[in-house]
Amino acid sequence: MSQSQFSGKSFFNNILNAVGAGVVVALLPNALLGELLKLFKEGNHLLETIFQLVTVIQSFMAFIIGVLAAHQFKFKGAGAAMIGTSAILGSGAIQFSNGGIALKGIGDIINVIIVVVIACAIYMFLEGKLGSFEMIILPVLVPVVSGAIGLMTLPYVQIITKSIGRLINGFTELNPLLMSILICVTFSLLMVTPISLVAIATAISLTGLGSGAANMGIVAACVTFLFGSLRVNSIGVNLVLLIGAAKMMIPVYLKNLIIAIPLTLNGIICGIVAYLLNIKGTPLSAGFGYTGLVGPINALNRMSGDTSFNIILLIIGYFVVPFIGAFIIHHLCKRFIHSYSDEIYKFEIPKE
């Protein structure tokens, strides 16, 4: 492994690119099929099995990110397995209880990044230095050390999520319009970060209009990245963004924080929409946007009046106003902000 790969910028770029791609691989199956399968799986063993599979795939997100990070560094197959194992051990997705283990959720992405950084650094430092003992020592040392460190840092990393949750919970005490705007903007700004918005929403039991505003914040983030991506990325990347899996753009956002400006502006628009249409939801629906129609379906179930009219309102609220607003804001930003362009939305697909 060349010393150039130890340079801070290239090292962390490799990690962030792995995170972006890993999120897509892990979350896309359930995003595409999850809600649809919920409607038709009852009484159908095959569809029930498929639903269980796409749900379980999510829980392997940390392992997938670890393997992709190893691939970025050109590690051997055994090395990739060690990094992936380290990542899932320290992610928080594995729960130890009653002498057994269980997969719960996707883990904490921030902690996954920490563990992957440590595991890759250990592997890179020791690779080729242990001679015939390499295949004996590394499979023990890398996962155990980095995984154990991950479990130790996890409670402290989760404090970040809890602190943001307390901040958002404070917004719910404001008047409804201001609450909707602030929650929507916050979720829009945080959507494409390693922070789990579902974890925040469930931690503070975000319901009603607050949940709806959070949901619209996800929409604001998705359409912001979609219009930025259209001219510079492949059809596949744009389709993933259209589906609503914007977390793949974590490396893009962290490298170009100027994107926070359109995210904020679109968040304001979507927050107003959430207030005017009285969009409501549950803690679980708050972090999904229109992905799998989770947000619109939950909002529809909580609206009174004529169902057909409510569907029209939700189409306008989720798919018309946010898209038009994002399109206009994107072009205004390109015109008036010197450092803002389509190129900052370029998604670097991990190289073979």
Side-chain angles (χ1 to χ4, degrees):
M1 197 62 57
S2 66
Q3 288 296 324
S4 64
Q5 287 177 297
F6 274 103
S7 67
K9 185 176 181 180
S10 62
F11 184 90
F12 286 104
N13 278 348
N14 282 344
I15 301 293
L16 290 177
N17 287 337
V19 171
V23 167
V24 175
V25 173
L27 302 186
L28 194 60
N30 193 46
L32 279 174
L33 302 175
E35 290 305 306
L36 188 63
L37 288 168
K38 284 181 182 178
L39 296 175
F40 301 104
K41 68 184 179 67
E42 293 300 327
N44 188 308
H45 179 69
L46 176 60
L47 294 183
E48 179 70 39
T49 300
I50 295 174
F51 177 72
Q52 292 171 347
L53 291 176
V54 298
T55 302
V56 169
I57 290 171
Q58 292 184 137
S59 296
F60 284 93
M61 184 184 70
F63 180 83
I64 294 169
I65 290 173
V67 170
L68 289 175
H71 178 72
Q72 286 283 89
F73 289 112
K74 308 299 182 185
F75 292 170
K76 299 174 184 177
M82 294 176 210
I83 306 302
T85 302
S86 302
I88 198 167
L89 287 175
S91 68
I94 293 181
Q95 305 289 314
F96 300 90
S97 62
N98 300 323
I101 61 171
L103 288 174
K104 184 178 180 181
I106 62 174
D108 190 298
I109 302 180
I110 297 177
N111 214 57
V112 170
I113 293 174
I114 293 172
V115 174
V116 170
V117 166
I118 294 170
C120 287
I122 293 173
Y123 187 87
M124 292 168 70
F125 180 73
L126 294 178
E127 185 186 23
K129 296 180 180 179
L130 300 173
S132 59
F133 291 99
E134 184 170 297
M135 283 307 296
I136 299 174
I137 296 176
L138 287 185
V140 177
L141 188 65
V142 175
V144 171
V145 172
S146 53
I149 293 174
L151 291 178
M152 288 187 287
T153 60
L154 183 61
Y156 300 99
V157 170
Q158 289 175 332
I159 291 174
I160 299 173
T161 302
K162 294 176 182 177
S163 299
I164 296 172
R166 284 194 291 269
L167 174 66
I168 294 172
N169 198 40
F171 294 156
T172 62
E173 299 175 4
L174 305 173
N175 75 72
L177 176 58
L178 184 57
M179 176 196 75
S180 294
I181 292 174
L182 289 176
I183 290 179
C184 192
V185 169
T186 302
F187 268 64
S188 178
L189 290 171
L190 295 178
M191 169 59 183
V192 192
T193 70
I195 295 170
S196 171
L197 298 183
V198 174
I200 291 174
T202 52
I204 63 174
S205 298
L206 191 62
T207 59
L209 180 59
S211 173
N215 202 255
M216 289 301 295
I218 307 297
V219 174
C222 290
V223 295
T224 295
F225 279 89
L226 175 63
F227 282 105
S229 169
L230 281 175
R231 294 176 180 269
V232 295
N233 289 317
S234 66
I235 294 176
V237 171
N238 292 326
L239 284 176
V240 171
L241 290 173
L242 183 61
I243 291 167
K247 249 187 172 22
M248 68 181 289
M249 303 297 275
I250 288 175
V252 172
Y253 183 35
L254 295 183
K255 294 174 192 175
N256 303 280
L257 292 177
I258 191 70
I259 297 173
I261 293 176
L263 285 175
T264 299
L265 296 175
N266 287 325
I268 292 172
I269 292 174
C270 288
I272 294 172
V273 169
Y275 170 75
L276 293 177
L277 298 184
N278 196 28
I279 295 175
K280 297 180 179 179
T282 67
L284 287 177
S285 71
F288 282 93
Y290 57 71
T291 302
L293 297 180
V294 174
I297 289 173
N298 276 274
L300 181 63
N301 291 336
R302 286 158 180 79
M303 296 176 76
S304 58
D306 181 67
T307 301
S308 298
F309 181 67
N310 289 337
I311 290 175
I312 293 173
L313 288 179
L314 290 174
I315 290 174
I316 294 172
Y318 274 91
F319 301 103
V320 177
V321 175
F323 278 74
I324 293 175
F327 174 79
I328 294 172
I329 288 171
H330 178 62
H331 284 278
L332 288 176
C333 287
K334 285 201 297 182
R335 181 173 180 180
F336 293 107
I337 302 176
H338 175 69
S339 58
Y340 186 91
S341 67
D342 290 317
E343 291 303 318
I344 65 176
Y345 287 91
K346 181 67 177 177
F347 179 74
E348 297 180 14
I349 299 174
K351 298 176 181 179
E352 294 297 327

